[in-house]
Amino acid sequence: MVKPTQLPWPTVRQALLDWFDSQGRDLPWRVEPEGRRDPYRVWVAEILLQQTQVARGQVYYGRFLEAFPDVQAWPPHRKTPC
């Protein structure tokens, strides 16, 4: 068996990308092709999925984007006394 560290990096990279193309799940934050995905949607998903299972996170993801479709939709920041 060949160890991954013995393979050229372009070969390893392509193998991983091919695997992801065939095995990656269809998730709402991946609706656009690589390189054209909305960074805001990916960022929201990354935050939600830190402590949440994907199935449950998808529900919250949809709700969050309905309320805040972009950063400009967030309520203004209010300073609170420390």
Side-chain angles (χ1 to χ4, degrees):
M1 181 171 159
V2 177
K3 294 180 182 179
T5 55
Q6 295 174 330
L7 295 171
W9 280 112
T11 302
V12 173
R13 179 182 181 277
Q14 192 58 54
L16 286 170
L17 291 172
D18 291 344
W19 174 85
F20 184 82
D21 286 343
S22 67
Q23 302 298 318
R25 293 185 272 183
D26 291 329
L27 298 169
W29 46 90
R30 295 182 185 155
V31 295
E32 295 294 328
E34 186 66 43
R36 293 192 319 175
R37 293 185 183 147
D38 182 350
Y40 175 72
R41 291 173 172 263
V42 173
W43 179 60
V44 169
E46 290 285 342
I47 293 168
L48 285 173
L49 296 177
Q50 286 182 11
Q51 297 292 321
T52 309
Q53 295 174 344
V54 172
R56 187 167 292 157
Q58 286 181 279
V59 175
Y60 293 117
Y61 177 82
R63 289 182 193 165
F64 188 89
L65 289 180
E66 284 179 20
F68 307 106
D70 53 34
V71 175
Q72 288 76 25
W74 289 16
H77 175 73
R78 293 186 300 213
K79 291 186 179 182
T80 57
C82 296

